[in-house]
Amino acid sequence: MKFVHLLMLGIAGAALTACGGEKSTPEAMAENEDVTVEVTTEAVAEPSTAIPDLPALPDISEAQFRDYLQTLASDDFEGRAPATAGGRKTVDWLEARMQEMGLKPANGDSYRQDVPLVEITLIPQQSSFAITTADGASSVLPYRQESVYWTKRVVEDVSFEDSELVFVGYGVVAPEYDWNDYEGVDVSGKTVVMLVNDPGYATQNPDLFNGNSMTYYGRWTYKYEEAARQGAAAAIVVHQTAPAAYGWGVVEGSWSGPQLDLERPDGGENRVALEGWIQESVAERLFAEAGLDFAQAQQDALSPDFTPVPMTGLTASGKIKNNINRNSSQNVAGYIEGASAPDEYILYMAHWDHLGRTFAAVGGGSGDGDTISNGAVDNATGTSGILNIAQSFADADMQPERSILFVAVTAEESGLLGSAYYAEDPLVPFSKTVGGINIDAMLSGGVSKDITVIGYGASELEDLLKAATDKRGMYLRPDPEPEKGYFYRSDHVSLAKKGVPMLYSKNGIDLVVGGEAAGTAISENYRANLYHKPADEYSEDWEVGGIMTTLEILRDVGGYMAYSDIQPNWYDGNEFRALRDSQMGN
């Protein structure tokens, strides 16, 4: 590395105003469903604070980007599944690249952070979930047909009996929205039944939660976590296709079979005994048996004055039998040390893993018998991307004032597990992590006029992004499907949940040559023919102009933070703002 010390720019961090696994995760499966997208290109307000200047930074090398991409997506890496030969080879390769460019190891004297994993497989023939009515009649909800359930507790046997059912609306406790669906009721030992998504989506009221844009409170992950905090025995989400953004087939396929998770210190004992989904038709039947009207209950749940409703006469009993296997994988992390504030860090993140080998030969890859899901787009592009951004900073003449951390995380395809582990055992304190950028699955294609912001309107990092795009005569494109909550479906959300401002952007679709029609065609072809298939392979005829521009933009966003003392935050009203304010002593 060659550096000349650069004095702090001294730009005040004034507040900015808002401008506007080997098994696939359920959302990953849902992303491959056909969707109709209405694109909006609404104008973005000007940032309300000065943007720091940047020193001249070396160009990001297209040749090196292609070389790294081709290597990671080659058959030699066997699809980069965690805890496999291909996964271990990937970790070795990442470590070697970080060493070569002079990054310092981020975990003491090691570039590796061990991520302990556990695979839990429910045995359907020895498991059951049953509802007993007031007359004593008990009926089992057929597994996969009417219900899908599991446990996060890492034990072979889990059971509970005669747990009273309580409808808790959306299952949300959100002080910033003055909302508490559990208010006034102790659900300890009870089975809570709740709706998917959040009241903002259901009402389309822009003043309720975040309107049509899903908040974290709408995510099933949050709902199960909150139910555990409330002391429930079991937590059941009612599946409805529109607010979930995927059909029952995705639920049935995603949560059955082997489930990979982190090996947590308490073995998952802080979670409820049983988590699950039921079909909407089942919910309608159960509500009727309790003397309630499901449609009216949904309407009542839209009020901030909602209080939990006992489902009188109904109790639940569950029994789960599991097979358990343990293994481990690694996150790989290195950093460039800052000159004057080395204990403050800007974070770049990308997941290195993909799906590995399929169990049976399928067509669409290098041949009709291809069994390797190479994951060129998903996410050899992002992994190569953060390494090439690191190279640009490492080769710069001027040393950044703050440190810059590059983390390639594992097991994203199994539920964001590598980033989740990092969030529980961070290599850098969250209060010293200024902000982060996640890069996940960039599509080949020409240079575009836009860049897409997933979770648009979340944080002040978007003002930095706008500055970087303005320099290039480009514009920001808001997330076209905010109701589907894609912001909460990639690794950055693991850090967001801890308060760290995070940015998730992708190259745009309004191509300089061909316009939106050409960009949309590329995206639709990827979803239909390449996504999570052996056909997601690298080709030398890829047009990567759009990717290279996006990488330079995202490098500059990090550079604005690294070469100054600005402190970006979440926008006012964001669900993570209060956590960050507390974290930073604001």
Side-chain angles (χ1 to χ4, degrees), residues 188-207:
S188 298
K190 298 179 180 180
T191 295
V192 294
V193 179
M194 48 199 157
L195 302 170
V196 71
N197 214 307
D198 62 43
Y201 170 81
T203 62
Q204 297 291 294
N205 179 353
D207 297 324

Side-chain angles (χ1 to χ4, degrees), residues 26-50:
E27 289 78 11
M29 295 178 67
E31 285 175 6
N32 205 28
E33 295 182 339
D34 292 333
V35 293
T36 300
V37 178
E38 181 179 345
V39 174
T40 175
T41 56
E42 62 189 65
V44 180
E46 291 296 323
S48 61
T49 192

Side-chain angles (χ1 to χ4, degrees), residues 444-517:
S444 63
V447 176
S448 65
K449 304 173 188 176
D450 60 336
I451 187 166
T452 301
V453 184
I454 309 300
Y456 176 79
S459 82
E460 294 166 357
L461 293 176
E462 292 172 27
D463 287 28
L464 305 181
L465 181 66
K466 184 176 186 300
T469 54
D470 281 351
K471 289 196 307 183
R472 296 165 172 84
M474 298 168 64
Y475 65 90
L476 303 189
R477 176 182 295 269
D479 182 353
E481 299 175 289
E483 73 280 3
K484 294 187 176 180
Y486 289 130
F487 183 80
Y488 306 100
R489 300 181 179 186
S490 193
D491 286 302
H492 59 277
V493 76
S494 298
L495 280 295
K497 287 163 59 178
K498 298 296 185 179
V500 178
M502 297 294 294
L503 179 68
Y504 181 30
S505 295
K506 292 178 177 283
N507 43 326
I509 64 169
D510 186 4
L511 303 187
V512 173
V513 178
E516 292 185 5

Side-chain angles (χ1 to χ4, degrees), residues 97-167:
R97 299 292 80 72
M98 290 185 180
Q99 288 175 327
E100 286 176 357
M101 69 179 69
L103 300 189
K104 294 186 175 183
N107 191 16
D109 60 358
S110 176
Y111 292 91
R112 306 185 184 201
Q113 180 185 42
D114 284 334
V115 179
L117 301 172
V118 58
E119 182 185 80
I120 306 175
T121 306
L122 178 143
I123 305 172
Q125 298 85 352
Q126 300 178 47
S127 304
S128 63
F129 179 53
I131 303 296
T132 301
T133 56
D135 60 6
S138 180
S139 61
V140 173
L141 303 184
Y143 184 67
R144 299 184 67 165
Q145 287 77 40
E146 291 190 351
S147 66
V148 175
Y149 49 88
W150 61 92
T151 185
K152 290 288 188 179
R153 298 182 182 180
V154 187
V155 292
E156 292 183 351
D157 297 282
V158 174
S159 63
F160 64 97
E161 293 183 351
D162 301 327
S163 170
E164 296 177 6
L165 268 65
V166 180
F167 176 58

Side-chain angles (χ1 to χ4, degrees), residues 314-327:
L314 301 187
T315 61
S317 298
K319 179 177 68 174
I320 294 178
K321 181 72 172 179
N322 292 320
N323 282 328
I324 298 173
N325 292 296
R326 289 175 168 84
N327 216 316

Side-chain angles (χ1 to χ4, degrees), residues 174-227:
E176 68 272 32
Y177 297 121
D178 194 24
W179 199 280
N180 186 353
D181 283 330
Y182 288 92
E183 189 168 12
V185 173
D186 181 2
V187 298
S188 298
K190 298 179 180 180
T191 295
V192 294
V193 179
M194 48 199 157
L195 302 170
V196 71
N197 214 307
D198 62 43
Y201 170 81
T203 62
Q204 297 291 294
N205 179 353
D207 297 324
L208 192 59
F209 283 67
N210 200 23
N212 185 54
S213 299
M214 183 189 288
T215 65
Y216 183 60
Y217 298 114
R219 300 281 290 123
W220 50 268
T221 48
Y222 164 79
K223 295 175 188 293
Y224 296 132
E225 293 165 356
E226 187 60 50

Side-chain angles (χ1 to χ4, degrees), residues 304-526:
D305 297 324
F306 169 84
T307 56
V309 180
M311 298 179 68
T312 305
L314 301 187
T315 61
S317 298
K319 179 177 68 174
I320 294 178
K321 181 72 172 179
N322 292 320
N323 282 328
I324 298 173
N325 292 296
R326 289 175 168 84
N327 216 316
S328 67
S329 186
Q330 290 79 36
N331 296 330
V332 186
Y335 72 99
I336 296 170
E337 188 170 27
S340 62
D343 64 335
E344 297 180 11
Y345 291 79
I346 286 75
L347 170 67
Y348 284 91
M349 177 175 284
H351 75 89
W352 61 254
D353 66 297
H354 196 57
L355 305 179
R357 290 183 178 271
T358 59
F359 289 107
V362 294
S366 57
D368 289 339
D370 196 351
T371 62
I372 299 176
S373 292
N374 300 87
V377 170
D378 185 13
N379 186 34
T381 56
T383 307
S384 176
I386 64 168
L387 290 175
N388 279 273
I389 289 173
Q391 189 75 66
S392 179
F393 281 120
D395 290 343
D397 290 331
M398 294 182 177
Q399 184 179 2
E401 298 301 329
R402 290 161 159 162
S403 298
I404 310 175
L405 176 66
F406 302 88
V407 184
V409 294
T410 185
E412 186 270 353
E413 302 288 5
S414 300
L416 318 182
L417 298 183
S419 59
Y421 186 82
Y422 179 95
E424 294 303 319
D425 187 18
L427 301 177
V428 174
F430 298 129
S431 62
K432 295 296 185 179
T433 305
V434 179
I437 298 164
N438 178 42
I439 305 178
D440 189 1
M442 294 184 290
L443 295 176
S444 63
V447 176
S448 65
K449 304 173 188 176
D450 60 336
I451 187 166
T452 301
V453 184
I454 309 300
Y456 176 79
S459 82
E460 294 166 357
L461 293 176
E462 292 172 27
D463 287 28
L464 305 181
L465 181 66
K466 184 176 186 300
T469 54
D470 281 351
K471 289 196 307 183
R472 296 165 172 84
M474 298 168 64
Y475 65 90
L476 303 189
R477 176 182 295 269
D479 182 353
E481 299 175 289
E483 73 280 3
K484 294 187 176 180
Y486 289 130
F487 183 80
Y488 306 100
R489 300 181 179 186
S490 193
D491 286 302
H492 59 277
V493 76
S494 298
L495 280 295
K497 287 163 59 178
K498 298 296 185 179
V500 178
M502 297 294 294
L503 179 68
Y504 181 30
S505 295
K506 292 178 177 283
N507 43 326
I509 64 169
D510 186 4
L511 303 187
V512 173
V513 178
E516 292 185 5
T520 300
I522 292 171
S523 179
E524 290 178 347
N525 177 65
Y526 173 69

